[in-house]
Amino acid sequence: MRIAENWKDFEVLDCSDGEKLERWGKYILLRPDPQVIWNTKKSIPQWKHLNGHYHRSDKGGGEWEIFDLPEEWTIHYPLSSINKEMTFHLKPFKFKHTGVFPEQAVNWEWFSSIIINGAAEKNPEREIKVLNLFAYTGGATIASALAGASVTHVDASKGMVTWAHENANSSSLADAKIRWLVDDCTKFVEREIRRGNKYDGIIMDPPSYGRGPKGEIWKIEDAIFPLIQKCASLLSEKPLFFLVNSYTTGLQPGVLTYMLSTAISEAGYKDFNVDSDEVGLPVSASGLVLPCGASGRVTFL
């Protein structure tokens, strides 16, 4: 398992009975997590000193119960692979989110290192182009741009793109080469294929279910492999990496490996390696690791 263990402003304190107890900066939040099917003793004092608690509804969705929490606050992540700091604006968002998936830090470290230590050092004049699909609030975009890449950031939500732009500005990237696009990811990829555009790195963080800006329905089990195939045709002559994240329990690491290996081979590439594994976050109270989905990584040799 790949473990995101370099955080200082975030911590999973404990988890029990379908919920995870987290520290986001100085604030303690309690949120539901379907992976937490065990029921263990809630012994640490933070269980009784919450700043916010998201209650899931039996009818779907849910709502926040706020005790002592600002409308917005900021945390930082030290991107150790390139010795730079990422900044994120957080707020209690609908559907339990705060604005960051902290387990993805392990992937930010991976591809930023490839960008800056691999291709950038071998050919400093090369402009490395990265495509970030379903880009949410921009964690992967910021990590790529801090490493020196030119990034195309695509998300169907105008609000998320605005939020990501604010995070980038706060991470000293106001003048970075980032294209901010509100678009349906599949349709954007199809247009890029027709335009003949190419990318050296592709990052894909698709939801299990979602809708595009015009109501287009996305269901990951039906749409993910065709999209991976299309994205493979957008890779440059000498690409660097391809990353696919999955929070859907049906898409195990082996499934990601099979899809990526098939699509990359069909696109004509031969010298590459696919490595898929679970990602997780350490739990302070138990010393164990909370699983948080899986990632499939392709590196080109």
Side-chain angles (χ1 to χ4, degrees):
M1 182 182 289
R2 300 172 183 136
I3 304 172
E5 52 191 359
N6 292 336
W7 280 96
K8 294 179 175 60
D9 282 358
F10 171 83
E11 180 183 7
V12 179
L13 298 166
D14 201 0
C15 46
S16 177
D17 196 22
E19 294 181 304
K20 55 186 175 182
L21 184 69
E22 304 165 307
R23 177 181 61 82
W24 297 83
K26 64 179 182 179
Y27 300 107
I28 306 300
L29 303 183
L30 185 60
R31 299 190 297 156
D33 191 313
Q35 297 283 356
V36 183
I37 61 175
W38 52 86
N39 189 349
T40 52
K41 187 177 180 180
K42 300 174 182 179
S43 58
I44 63 174
Q46 289 92 332
W47 283 101
K48 298 179 180 179
H49 300 282
L50 304 177
N51 296 103
H53 185 185
Y54 186 89
H55 298 276
R56 186 177 293 282
S57 170
D58 294 337
K59 299 179 181 179
E63 62 180 2
W64 282 96
E65 181 182 9
I66 303 299
F67 304 109
D68 182 18
L69 192 66
E71 291 185 3
E72 184 175 302
W73 71 103
T74 300
I75 65 171
H76 306 279
Y77 178 75
L79 192 60
S80 61
S81 61
I82 57 176
N83 195 30
K84 293 186 178 182
E85 186 173 79
M86 304 171 69
T87 298
F88 299 98
H89 299 282
L90 306 181
K91 57 185 175 182
F93 196 72
K94 62 181 180 178
F95 306 121
K96 80 177 182 179
H97 299 308
T98 62
V100 176
F101 291 111
E103 70 278 356
Q104 287 304 313
V106 73
N107 286 322
W108 303 337
E109 298 282 2
W110 172 69
F111 60 71
S112 62
S113 179
I114 290 176
I115 293 169
I116 201 165
N117 295 326
E121 286 189 357
K122 293 178 182 177
N123 184 359
E125 302 303 318
R126 177 184 180 183
E127 181 184 22
I128 297 171
K129 297 181 179 179
V130 172
L131 173 61
N132 186 16
L133 300 171
F134 309 97
Y136 194 51
T137 59
T141 294
I142 293 168
S144 299
L146 284 173
S150 173
V151 187
T152 298
H153 175 112
V154 186
D155 197 281
S157 167
K158 182 178 180 179
M160 291 298 104
V161 173
T162 299
W163 194 347
H165 201 168
E166 292 172 355
N167 285 336
N169 289 345
S170 296
S171 300
S172 303
L173 292 170
D175 298 323
K177 293 183 178 179
I178 303 174
R179 285 200 298 164
W180 304 101
L181 302 176
V182 180
D183 206 340
D184 176 82
C185 289
T186 298
K187 291 184 177 180
F188 174 78
V189 167
E190 291 170 348
R191 289 197 299 273
E192 289 292 86
I193 292 172
R194 293 194 294 270
R195 295 169 182 142
N197 289 333
K198 298 292 182 179
Y199 295 90
D200 304 300
I202 296 177
I203 301 161
M204 188 188 303
D205 205 344
S208 298
Y209 180 86
R211 291 184 180 273
K214 296 183 179 179
E216 303 91 341
I217 294 176
W218 165 275
K219 189 176 180 182
I220 194 168
E221 291 86 350
D222 299 331
I224 185 66
F225 183 59
L227 181 56
I228 290 174
Q229 288 177 304
K230 291 171 183 175
C231 285
S233 68
L234 287 179
L235 289 167
S236 63
E237 183 179 348
K238 295 182 179 181
L240 300 178
F241 66 90
F242 194 146
L243 171 67
V244 178
N245 293 309
S246 170
Y247 305 96
T248 304
T249 55
L251 296 183
Q252 301 294 332
V255 175
L256 293 174
T257 293
Y258 207 105
M259 289 192 295
L260 286 165
S261 297
T262 301
I264 301 298
S265 295
E266 288 177 347
Y269 298 94
K270 296 181 180 179
D271 297 326
F272 64 90
N273 178 64
V274 182
D275 179 22
S276 302
D277 203 350
E278 287 185 285
V279 294
L281 291 163
V283 180
S284 298
S286 65
L288 300 175
V289 177
L290 177 65
C292 303
S295 293
R297 296 175 175 178
V298 182
T299 49
F300 294 85
L301 309 176

